[in-house]
Amino acid sequence: MPYVNIQVTREGVTSEQKARLIKGATDLLVEVLDKNPMTTFVVIDEVGMESWGIGGLPVEQFRVQQLTKA
């Protein structure tokens, strides 16, 4: 009974995109591990930007830093 948790930043992920993620993750488990899609659970959590960090910085600051390096 696989459980997949996908976490994304809250930046306007559409219902269609979420449906594609759910289908894609399920299909991958079926293909690679021969899991039953009827007992495969996929949960998508949207995390506020202020609660997501990369490289010791909030994601928004990290992105600004990366843009200035480019």
Side-chain angles (χ1 to χ4, degrees):
M1 201 184 297
Y3 169 83
V4 178
N5 181 240
I6 299 172
Q7 294 184 331
V8 296
T9 53
R10 192 174 296 127
E11 296 181 84
V13 178
T14 67
S15 294
E16 180 182 294
Q17 290 171 321
K18 289 177 185 178
R20 289 178 62 199
L21 286 170
I22 292 166
K23 175 140 178 42
T26 301
D27 289 349
L28 183 63
L29 286 165
V30 169
E31 179 185 328
V32 175
L33 299 178
D34 196 31
K35 294 297 181 179
N36 181 347
M38 298 306 294
T39 58
T40 298
F41 298 87
V42 180
V43 176
I44 299 172
D45 292 322
E46 291 186 81
V47 179
M49 297 286 280
E50 70 280 359
S51 299
W52 196 289
I54 305 171
L57 298 171
V59 71
E60 290 179 305
Q61 290 179 18
F62 178 82
R63 289 177 180 172
V64 168
Q65 185 182 68
Q66 295 304 302
L67 288 175
T68 59
K69 289 181 179 180

